[in-house]
């Protein structure tokens, strides 16, 4: 496909009008290029239909059945429900549809259809909720194929997206390769164009895996090259804010009721040696959840303040920012620290308070700015900002760094991450940062008790949650999805909240939290949970980076097999923060041995670094998009664990190329240079550069 066609708006594709165009825009798709880079989130594989007696609980099955008896219609509150039974010679299944009154015309007793959906068991009865219905001929054409399932928004159907992508490919030409030919040959990679095509419409699993690997390599290769080029720039950045260790910090440490762990002390010393040294600091502190990174950040901010500079700490959410601010104030009051003057700057402040905070920052009345990313970056003028700490973000992207450049020349940057990553990968992924690892937990913590269980344990778990709530504690339940229909067989927070409300006594308050909510709404719910107004929070992984509610003692994770181990570990880190014994329940809905083996690791270890190593060792092939890795290290396609061989290869290739041709000036790299310099190119879509 030529560049010109790729740049065309999607509404120029036949069959896509203004209205559909707007829906595509909601998904971030504007041009044909966006469209072909709008990758499926998973694939439907249509197996031949089975008999009723061969249905497997918890799995997506297709079954050819005849409708028996009456079609029942009822209304419960706002929900209209259609249900009926269907069967063959070997058994019966109960089907239920919610809010789909239009189906009533195609459902007739005695007619035969192929039903497809997740099989559940209620008592002795198999049930399928919201099955997709097909005519036999229609199903036959789908059988054996992998059909793409795209991320959708309301009113945009999977079919519409599929057709639009096909049309975009119809005017296809070739993509220019930017990965050098010898690498493609050596690794036996699929061509760029074929890879993009096959990620949408793979003919089988093997082709899909090849396509995926090619695109993963692309991502890693560009990522590593950018990192290397960036590092070169940084090494030339001289330290214009020399900051030295202060007595106030030492006194503070002596007065603290606990001693810093050796790992914390080492991190603190690394920071001091950076900020007092010849170059600007670019350091990452990697420490497991609860390892005590905050106090280290506080020491850095205190030191900057006592040296006469301003420092800022950026948190990903308002709640976290407020939490830091309160915590800092407490330390300052309790230990009589005089040089550090904090201020909170978040979107939740009134316009007046915001203006006042901005004035104090500009005039230098405050020197420790605690806030959310956007606020700190956009609207604020600093008097003399010298240090920026980012909390719970894996890396501090170039774009953010640039946004800050106008605030203070070459500020020192300290990033703090709670995702333990095996050293071999960390060196590649954080190539531009120096790393301090806090690999020691403060003593005296009660280890979390874990269990990995199947769906039959669900009711016992609810009972357990109920008991914990009655004892005054709180619980989290995590589901992978936001809404119904995104993926078969996977729990979503919207429906789950209703289910849980009816399973628990009415006096227990249950609320929902997910990433599609407005930020203000999210913060409100998190705050309500922190205030104990909510007992049980049903959430997607948005709570992963976040909140510290020591009173929460239960973490229950539905479809635990769908998460990476490191991510499960992060989620688990939300409990076990207080004095009470905490529990983590991993609900495994898969029947596969691999899933069980993987989850068992969580059962055996509470050590994030060990778990990450295991993740690297165990993450076998064939999991494709099934498992999501942790937070901000998300590449679109590549998986740092599953594809660690490609990541290592990309790293070596990038090093070799740059050592031969540091500026990529040879003509063979002209396409590559172009790709590296475009900001928008979706093909370079890793969120951090
Ligand atoms: P994280 O690394 O996950 O950000 P925090 O910084 O929030 O962890 O620390 C978790 C808790 O441990 C806090 O309540 C903090 O006061 C406490 N803490 C930090 N360092 C120590 C230590 N060396 N000994 C005992 N408790 C500590
Ligand atoms: Mg923290």
């Amino acid at each position: 496909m030529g560049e010109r066609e790729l740049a065309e708006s999607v509404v120029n594709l036949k069959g896509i009008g203004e209205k559909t165009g707007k829906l595509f825009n909601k998904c971030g798709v504007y041009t044909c290029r966006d469209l072909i880079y709008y990758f499926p989130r998973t694939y439907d594989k249509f197996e031949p239909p089975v008999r009723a007696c061969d249905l497997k609980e918890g799995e997506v099955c297709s079954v050819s059945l005849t409708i028996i008896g009456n079609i029942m219609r009822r209304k419960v509150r706002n929900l209209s429900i259609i249900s009926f039974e269907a069967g063959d010679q070997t058994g019966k299944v109960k089907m239920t549809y919610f809010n789909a009154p239009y189906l009533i015309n195609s459902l007739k007793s005695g007619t035969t259809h192929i039903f497809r959906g997740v099989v559940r068991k209620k008592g002795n009865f198999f049930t399928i909720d919201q099955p997709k219905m097909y005519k036999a001929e229609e199903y036959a054409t789908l059988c054996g194929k992998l059909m793409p399932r795209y991320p959708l928004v309301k009113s945009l159907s999977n079919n519409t997206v599929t057709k639009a992508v096909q049309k975009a490919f119809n005017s296809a030409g070739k993509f220019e390769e930017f990965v050098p030919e010898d690498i493609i040959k050596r690794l036996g990679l699929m061509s760029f164009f074929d890879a993009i095509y096959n990620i949408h419409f793979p003919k089988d699993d093997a082709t899909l895996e090849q396509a995926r690997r090619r695109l993963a390599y692309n991502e890693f290769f560009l990522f590593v090259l950018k990192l290397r080029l960036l590092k070169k720039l940084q090494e030339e950045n001289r330290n214009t804010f020399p900051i030295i260790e202060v007595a106030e910090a030492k006194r503070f440490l002596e007065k603290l009721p606990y001693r810093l762990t050796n790992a914390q002390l080492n991190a603190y010393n690394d920071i001091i040696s950076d900020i007092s040294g010849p170059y600007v600091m670019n350091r990452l502190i990697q420490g497991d959840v609860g390892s005590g990174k905050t106090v280290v950040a506080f020491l850095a901010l205190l030191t900057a303040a006592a040296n006469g500079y301003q420092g800022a700490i950026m948190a990903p959410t308002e709640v976290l920012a407020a939490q830091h601010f309160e915590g800092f104030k407490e330390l300052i009051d309790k230990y009589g620290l005089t040089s550090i003057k904090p201020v909170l700057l978040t979107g939740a402040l009134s316009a007046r308070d915001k203006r006042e905070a901005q004035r104090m920052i500009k005039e230098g009345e405050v020197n420790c700015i605690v806030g959310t990313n956007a606020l700190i970056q956009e609207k604020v003028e600093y008097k003399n900002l010298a240090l920026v700490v980012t909390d719970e973000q894996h890396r501090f992207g170039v774009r953010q760094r640039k946004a800050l450049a106008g605030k203070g020349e070459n500020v020192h940057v300290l990033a703090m991450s709670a995702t333990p990553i095996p050293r071999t990968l960390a060196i590649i992924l954080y190539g531009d940062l120096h790393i301090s690892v806090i690999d020691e937990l403060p003593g005296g913590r009660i280890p979390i008790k874990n269990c990995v269980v199947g769906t039959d344990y669900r009711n016992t778990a609810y009972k357990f949650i109920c008991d914990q709530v009655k004892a005054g504690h709180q619980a989290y339940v995590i589901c992978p999805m936001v809404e119904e229909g995104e993926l078969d067989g996977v729990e979503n927070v919207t429906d789950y909240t209703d289910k849980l409300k009816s399973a628990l006594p009415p006096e227990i308050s249950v609320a929902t939290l997910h990433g599609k909510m407005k930020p203000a709404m999210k913060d409100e719910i998190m705050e309500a949970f922190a205030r104990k107004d909510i007992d049980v929070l049903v959430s997607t992984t948005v709570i992963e980076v976040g909140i510290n509610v020591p009173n929460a003692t239960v973490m229950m994770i539905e479809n635990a097999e769908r998460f990476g181990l490191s991510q499960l570990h992060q989620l688990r880190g939300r409990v076990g923060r207080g004095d009470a014994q905490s529990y983590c329940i991993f609900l495994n809905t898969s029947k596969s041995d691999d899933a069980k083996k993987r989850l068992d690791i969580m059962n055996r270890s509470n050590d994030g670094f060990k778990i990450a190593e295991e993740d690297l060792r165990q993450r076998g092939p064939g999991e494709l998009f099934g498992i999501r890795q942790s937070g901000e290290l998300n590449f679109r396609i590549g998986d740092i664990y599953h594809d660690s061989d490609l990541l290592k290869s990309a790293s070596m290739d990038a090093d070799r190329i740059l050592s031969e041709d540091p500026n990529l000036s040879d003509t063979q790299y002209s396409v590559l240079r172009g790709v590296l310099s475009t900001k928008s190119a979706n093909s370079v879509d890793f969120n951090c550069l």
Side-chain angles (χ1 to χ4, degrees):
M1 191 174 315
E3 279 304 313
R4 200 167 43 81
E5 289 89 341
L6 281 178
E8 294 252 341
S9 162
V10 280
V11 292
N12 293 344
L13 288 173
K14 228 174 146 185
I16 298 186
E18 287 295 318
K19 220 167 122 197
T20 313
K22 288 229 166 68
L23 295 174
F24 272 114
N25 294 168
K26 272 195 188 165
C27 305
V29 173
Y30 294 86
T31 63
C32 289
R33 172 192 291 280
D34 298 338
L35 195 55
I36 62 170
Y37 281 105
Y38 196 63
F39 297 152
R41 69 186 302 165
T42 184
Y43 303 84
D44 273 338
K45 196 168 178 184
F46 291 80
E47 312 277 1
V50 298
R51 295 179 304 174
C53 65
D54 294 328
L55 288 171
K56 288 206 183 72
E57 192 188 350
E59 290 187 11
V60 178
C61 296
S62 298
V63 55
S64 176
L65 300 174
T66 305
I67 298 177
I68 309 165
N70 292 335
I71 312 288
M72 320 283 277
R73 298 175 73 169
R74 52 201 170 98
K75 237 176 140 71
V76 177
R77 277 179 273 165
N78 290 330
L79 208 60
S80 83
I81 301 173
I82 296 177
S83 61
F84 56 89
E85 288 179 14
D88 59 13
Q89 284 93 347
T90 69
K92 278 197 291 188
V93 180
K94 185 174 175 190
M95 310 285 176
T96 310
Y97 289 96
F98 304 101
N99 286 340
Y102 49 86
L103 280 179
I104 203 79
N105 295 326
S106 35
L107 297 169
K108 296 243 153 40
S109 184
T111 57
T112 303
H113 307 264
I114 291 172
F115 296 94
R116 186 167 202 276
V118 190
V119 180
R120 305 263 183 227
K121 210 166 184 178
K122 287 189 187 137
N124 281 330
F125 232 88
F126 280 125
T127 67
I128 304 181
D129 285 354
Q130 310 277 70
K132 300 235 162 55
M133 232 175 18
Y134 301 90
K135 295 198 189 81
E137 315 83 79
E138 189 188 356
Y139 195 84
T141 63
L142 295 171
C143 222
K145 284 194 191 145
L146 287 168
M147 305 297 285
R149 287 280 295 274
Y150 293 95
L152 300 172
V153 290
K154 203 172 170 202
S155 308
L156 182 65
S157 76
N158 195 58
N159 204 10
T160 307
V161 183
T162 311
K163 285 199 175 131
V165 174
Q166 256 153 358
K167 280 188 198 123
F169 270 110
N170 282 345
S171 49
K174 260 176 86 178
F175 289 10
E176 284 190 297
E177 294 281 359
F178 58 84
V179 175
E181 196 55 44
D182 57 313
I183 298 178
I184 295 178
K185 279 223 181 80
R186 194 190 78 234
L187 296 173
L189 296 174
M190 188 182 250
S191 83
F192 188 12
F193 179 85
D194 287 351
I196 296 273
Y197 185 81
N198 281 296
I199 210 80
H200 291 282
F201 309 113
K203 86 172 183 303
D204 51 32
D205 287 326
T207 318
L208 176 58
E209 176 60 7
Q210 276 190 342
R212 209 192 55 76
R213 278 178 69 79
R214 169 62 212 260
L215 298 179
Y217 185 86
N218 278 12
E219 276 187 299
F220 291 154
F221 181 64
L222 291 175
F223 175 83
V224 176
L225 273 176
K226 284 206 171 184
L227 273 189
R228 298 290 187 274
L229 294 168
L230 178 70
K231 185 167 187 182
K232 234 173 52 186
L233 287 180
Q234 271 165 12
E235 274 166 3
E236 288 147 19
N237 278 345
R238 298 208 64 87
N239 181 0
T240 43
F241 301 108
I243 296 172
I244 53 165
E245 190 168 21
V246 293
E248 193 169 10
K250 281 195 178 145
R251 278 201 303 277
F252 165 71
L253 281 181
E254 275 158 23
K255 282 194 251 167
L256 267 182
Y258 53 79
R259 287 170 57 98
L260 290 194
T261 60
N262 283 333
Q264 282 173 311
L265 273 177
N266 289 340
Y268 170 58
N269 289 332
D270 288 343
I271 293 169
I272 295 292
S273 103
D274 284 351
I275 55 187
S276 60
Y279 300 108
V280 164
M281 172 167 74
N282 268 300
R283 183 164 293 278
L284 172 80
I285 298 200
Q286 252 196 307
D288 213 341
V289 277
S291 61
K293 294 181 291 293
T294 316
V295 68
V296 176
F298 180 75
L299 280 164
L301 290 162
L302 172 65
T303 307
N307 275 264
Y309 294 118
Q310 288 177 318
I313 178 165
M314 317 202 300
T317 65
E318 306 223 328
V319 178
L320 270 189
Q323 209 166 272
H324 281 321
F325 179 68
E326 294 304 326
F328 287 4
K329 265 200 333 206
E330 213 178 295
L331 291 176
I332 290 164
D333 291 347
K334 200 158 159 196
Y335 300 107
L337 306 173
T338 51
S339 42
I340 183 164
K341 297 184 190 68
V343 66
L344 180 66
L345 188 61
T346 68
L349 296 183
S350 69
R352 196 148 149 247
D353 289 349
K354 229 180 275 173
R355 268 201 308 278
E356 176 61 6
Q358 284 163 350
R359 185 195 61 74
M360 290 194 294
I361 295 167
K362 191 173 169 190
E363 291 173 14
E365 281 174 34
V366 287
N367 56 18
C368 174
I369 297 93
V370 184
T372 41
N373 306 3
L375 278 173
I376 285 187
Q377 285 171 41
E378 283 160 17
K379 296 176 194 144
V380 189
E381 273 180 72
Y382 294 86
K383 178 147 183 267
N384 59 356
L385 184 69
L387 167 70
V388 171
V389 182
T390 65
D391 189 19
E392 302 287 4
Q393 281 179 297
H394 289 275
R395 44 174 39 263
F396 186 51
V398 179
R399 254 183 244 141
Q400 284 163 300
R401 227 180 287 228
K402 280 202 177 126
L404 275 167
K407 315 286 184 190
E409 284 300 304
N410 287 332
V411 295
H412 296 293
V413 173
L414 182 64
M416 299 198 297
S417 154
T419 302
I421 292 172
R423 182 115 201 121
T424 47
L425 299 187
I427 290 168
I428 298 172
L429 293 167
Y430 299 129
D432 57 332
L433 302 172
H434 298 281
I435 305 175
S436 306
V437 178
I438 305 190
D439 52 2
E440 215 181 322
L441 288 186
R445 298 263 165 88
I446 311 174
I448 296 168
K449 286 194 177 155
N450 303 292
C451 62
V452 179
V453 295
T455 44
D456 50 348
Y457 188 82
R458 215 178 252 128
N459 287 329
T460 316
Y462 293 164
K463 171 107 197 359
F464 185 73
I465 288 175
C466 187
D467 291 346
Q468 286 284 311
V469 169
K470 284 188 176 150
H473 295 300
Q474 290 162 282
Y476 299 98
V477 182
I478 307 297
C479 303
M481 296 292 159
V482 175
E483 298 163 309
E484 158 72 39
E486 290 178 81
L487 275 182
D488 294 329
V490 179
E491 298 294 343
N492 71 81
V493 289
T494 316
D495 295 335
Y496 201 95
T497 306
D498 291 339
K499 251 196 324 201
L500 197 59
K501 273 182 183 161
S502 54
L504 296 174
E507 65 272 18
I508 293 184
S509 69
V510 183
T512 315
L513 181 74
H514 60 73
K516 287 190 186 168
M517 288 176 162
K518 295 232 162 69
M521 183 71 180
K522 268 193 295 199
D523 284 348
E524 207 176 298
I525 288 174
M526 295 223 254
E527 273 161 26
F529 188 68
R531 282 198 308 270
K532 242 179 120 175
D533 289 350
I534 295 167
D535 299 313
V536 182
L537 192 58
V538 180
S539 172
T540 57
T541 55
V542 293
I543 58 129
E544 184 186 350
V545 282
I547 193 159
N548 182 27
V549 180
N551 189 48
T553 53
V554 188
M555 167 62 70
M556 174 173 174
I557 304 173
E558 285 280 355
N559 299 108
E561 75 281 359
R562 302 197 67 85
F563 297 97
L565 293 181
S566 300
Q567 193 173 20
L568 289 173
H569 180 66
Q570 293 266 302
L571 289 167
R572 174 167 65 185
R574 298 303 113 208
V575 297
R577 304 184 143 246
D579 305 328
Q581 174 67 55
S582 288
Y583 306 86
C584 189
I585 305 166
F586 300 97
L587 215 122
N588 176 12
T589 49
S590 152
K591 300 273 182 287
S592 102
D593 286 343
D594 282 352
K596 197 160 170 300
K597 233 168 82 190
R598 243 166 34 82
L599 289 174
D600 261 347
I601 298 167
M602 300 305 298
N603 227 347
R604 288 198 306 269
S605 179
N606 281 326
D607 177 337
F609 281 93
K610 270 213 193 102
I611 287 167
E613 290 285 353
E614 276 297 323
D615 217 352
L616 183 57
R617 240 168 34 79
Q618 283 220 359
R619 188 84 67 96
E623 280 159 348
L624 296 176
F625 299 86
I627 289 174
R628 296 186 302 168
Q629 57 195 351
S630 183
E632 316 249 325
L633 268 179
N634 265 335
F635 290 89
R636 277 191 71 187
I637 298 281
D639 176 317
I640 57 165
Y641 295 109
H642 175 70
D643 304 313
S644 59
D645 61 324
L646 286 177
L647 178 58
K648 286 173 188 163
S649 188
S651 166
M652 276 176 348
D653 293 336
D655 283 342
R656 181 179 47 80
I657 290 171
L658 289 175
S659 73
E660 288 164 10
D661 185 357
N663 300 314
L664 303 175
S665 43
D666 194 287
T667 48
Q668 66 164 320
Y669 300 128
S670 59
V671 183
L672 179 58
R673 276 200 310 273
V675 174
L676 283 169
S677 65
T678 47
K679 253 204 275 172
S680 63
N682 252 323
S683 51
V684 205
D685 188 271
F686 23 71
N687 54 18
C688 29
L689 289 177

